[in-house]
Amino acid sequence: MSEGERQPASGRWKTYAATAAGVTVAAALGGRAVAPDTRWYRSLSKPPWQPPAWAFGAVWTPLYASIAWAGGRALLAARPEERRVLAVSLGTNLAANTAWNWLFFRMRSTQAGLVGTVLLDVSNAEFIGRVAKADRTAALALTPYAAWCGFATLLNADIRRRNMR
């Protein structure tokens, strides 16, 4: 039986509530920066394989839910001495996730966005590695998130290449 299964239900719910709150804050702060209707963004040359605008919300909603669930599950399964580092890793990942929107859309910089998304990919690898040590099922649940972020890196890189001025 894992450590998380030995905790009372109230402790489990508090952990999941905390990860859900963290993810919700990150999503809301990141969403405030997104501005696809600006003249700057509309003027960018984008690859024909870029998904339609509606797809981003449709994809990010379940990905954010998976981050909250997997983060909570891993925190509950982690050994007590590993929990703080795992929580910091989750927080760092959410900060990197949020930062991309601000780097790309608010700074109006395809280059800064590319640096941000590469850093997010590095953060994903570190975070998923820590999660895997605590709970392999939680780590597997994060693979679509990492894959989508990898796709976003390729998309950002192509937009950067097409718009170098």
Side-chain angles (χ1 to χ4, degrees):
M1 183 180 304
S2 77
E3 179 73 22
E5 292 172 356
R6 288 191 294 258
Q7 289 187 355
S10 64
R12 289 193 307 268
W13 282 110
K14 287 177 185 177
T15 300
Y16 283 112
T19 57
V23 168
T24 300
V25 167
L29 290 175
R32 288 183 54 106
V34 175
D37 294 329
T38 62
R39 175 178 282 165
W40 172 78
Y41 184 74
R42 287 192 323 264
S43 74
L44 293 175
S45 174
K46 298 170 205 74
W49 49 273
Q50 177 173 320
W54 63 264
F56 291 93
V59 169
W60 274 109
T61 300
L63 291 179
Y64 280 133
S66 72
I67 297 166
W69 179 83
R73 181 176 167 111
L75 285 167
L76 289 168
R79 293 193 314 254
E81 63 273 12
E82 295 174 343
R83 283 194 191 115
R84 189 185 73 70
V85 175
L86 182 58
V88 168
S89 180
L90 171 58
T92 301
N93 185 266
L94 292 173
N97 182 302
T98 300
W100 178 86
N101 295 310
W102 291 87
L103 294 168
F104 186 89
F105 283 105
R106 288 299 166 121
M107 286 182 63
R108 296 182 178 185
S109 174
T110 59
Q111 179 64 37
L114 183 56
V115 169
T117 194
V118 168
L119 290 174
L120 177 57
D121 292 334
V122 171
S123 176
N124 284 339
E126 188 275 337
F127 176 53
I128 293 171
R130 288 195 187 279
V131 169
K133 288 177 185 174
D135 189 287
R136 297 205 44 83
T137 300
L140 287 172
L142 293 169
T143 56
Y145 169 55
W148 181 258
C149 291
F151 171 76
T153 300
L154 295 175
L155 179 59
N156 196 145
D158 197 14
I159 292 172
R160 170 70 181 147
R161 181 189 60 79
R162 292 167 176 270
N163 295 280
M164 292 182 68
R165 295 175 194 165

